[in-house]
Structure formats: C-alpha cells, structure tokens
Amino acid sequence: MRLHLVRHPATILGQAYCYGSSDVAVAPAELASCCARVSPSLPQGVPIVSSPLQRCAGLAKVLAQTLDSEEPTFESGLQEMDFGSWELRAWDDIAWNEVEAWNSDLLHYAPGGGETLVTVAQRVWAVFDSLRRGGDEQAIVICHGGSIRMLRACAAWHAGRDAGALPDAGAMEAIALQAAADRCEIGFGEVVTLEADALPGKPG
C-alpha cells in the first residue's frame, strides 16, 4: 500500500522548545496555509489516520473536508515521543549531561523520565501493521517528525520479508536505531510517500 505521511504544521511554540507529547496548538492562519500547500499533492477520498494531538488532528479534520474523505481515525500510537520533564522546556534549559546520557543509550534511556525509543518503536509498529492489514491501497497519515522517521524504519525493516513477518525484540531495537539515525530534515507540512507491503484485511 502507499502511505502519504504528512508532518503537522508549525506550532505557536516554536522550535526552541521541547514538545513531544504536549498538546501544542497551531495558529489558524498557519493551519489554513498548510492545508492549502499539501492538499494538491494528496489523493482524494482515501482514509485519513492521525495522531490525536491537536497540531495533527486539526489538519486531519480540514483535509478530510478538502479531500472528500471520511472523518479521520485517531491513533495514539502515532503521537510524538513523550519527553517527560523535558516537555515544554527550552532546549537550552535542559542540562547537557541529560542530553548526553540519552545520546549514550538511545535505545533504553528515557529522556526526562518519559518514553524510551524502543517503546515508541513498538507503538508506531502497531499502527504500521494495522494499516497494512486494513486492506486499503492508500492512506494519508498525519503525524510528527519522529513518527514519520519511525514509520520509514518500520517499512525498511519489513521490505523483502514475508508479508506476515513481525519484528522480535532485537528487530524492534534495530527499527528504533534506524529511526534515530535518520537525519533527513522533514519540514512542517511536508509530505513523505512510503510504500509498504499490504496484508489483506481480516474477514468479517
């Protein structure tokens, strides 16, 4: 199947602050501008799946109307990483030794006491696998920069494997590390197309 991954619009908070799981708003003018930019490159009438955080959900709802799609489905597994006590703090105010501790153990260190990268990989994989089993040829996914990198890592791990293959613990760690190594810049409102082998939907 083909997934059209869309990063949410820029928020009112700006990039100087850490906001992963925090529900940060988007200015109405920015939302309208983002919708106008991305909608011409997206297919009409296909399912839309979104992170429930308002910076994604708002765009998903507007795009559903613009593209003549059904109401979006919201998946908590697509949320950005939870940074715990780092949330809503300026990056410059976070102690460097904490950042270095994370860099030294990307897989298992939970920044700010929030989530580990492996935990994020597990929940994003669950959404990826559900989309593959849904039986749709295309879907639009509105989410976050980290979620997009994780979805790309899920698809890369799965490429060339049997359609029903599931990652074990070691494979999940490999997916998490591949996402962390993905340094490709993903702009606000950018559309990333991803091909993923689909499984037929479950009967009934």
Side-chain angles (χ1 to χ4, degrees):
M1 71 180 304
R2 176 169 294 174
L3 299 177
H4 305 270
L5 313 179
V6 186
R7 190 182 180 193
H8 62 80
T11 72
I12 60 174
L13 195 56
Q15 297 187 74
Y17 290 84
C18 175
Y19 58 93
S21 63
S22 298
D23 202 6
V24 183
V26 172
E30 177 61 25
L31 175 59
S33 174
C34 183
C35 180
R37 290 196 311 271
V38 304
S39 56
S41 63
L42 296 171
Q44 295 269 337
V46 306
I48 297 177
V49 182
S50 173
S51 160
L53 297 180
Q54 62 179 309
R55 57 189 184 269
C56 298
L59 180 60
K61 292 174 182 177
V62 173
L63 283 175
Q65 296 177 346
T66 303
L67 299 173
D68 196 26
S69 296
E70 294 183 358
E71 285 292 307
T73 299
F74 299 103
E75 292 280 359
S76 60
L78 290 172
Q79 290 185 182
E80 186 59 280
M81 186 172 188
D82 180 358
F83 289 96
S85 64
W86 293 10
E87 292 283 337
L88 302 180
R89 292 172 60 190
W91 283 107
D92 288 346
D93 292 340
I94 298 171
W96 182 246
N97 67 306
E98 292 184 50
V99 178
E100 280 297 287
W102 187 25
N103 287 333
S104 298
D105 186 7
L106 288 172
L107 287 177
H108 303 113
Y109 184 83
E115 287 185 295
T116 67
L117 203 59
V118 172
T119 299
V120 178
Q122 290 169 337
R123 60 176 172 79
V124 172
W125 171 268
V127 178
F128 175 77
D129 195 47
S130 176
L131 287 168
R132 293 171 52 246
R133 294 176 185 275
D136 296 298
E137 293 184 359
Q138 296 190 81
I140 297 168
V141 181
I142 316 296
C143 56
H144 311 266
S147 309
I148 290 175
R149 291 182 176 89
M150 197 65 75
L151 285 165
R152 289 201 294 210
C154 289
W157 178 86
H158 199 272
R161 289 180 167 84
D162 179 81
L166 296 174
D168 59 15
M172 198 64 74
E173 290 187 348
I175 289 170
L177 284 176
Q178 180 161 342
D182 184 350
R183 300 299 183 184
C184 183
E185 182 65 26
I186 303 170
F188 293 113
E190 183 173 341
V191 179
V192 176
T193 302
L194 186 66
E195 301 291 344
D197 291 336
L199 286 171
K202 295 180 180 178

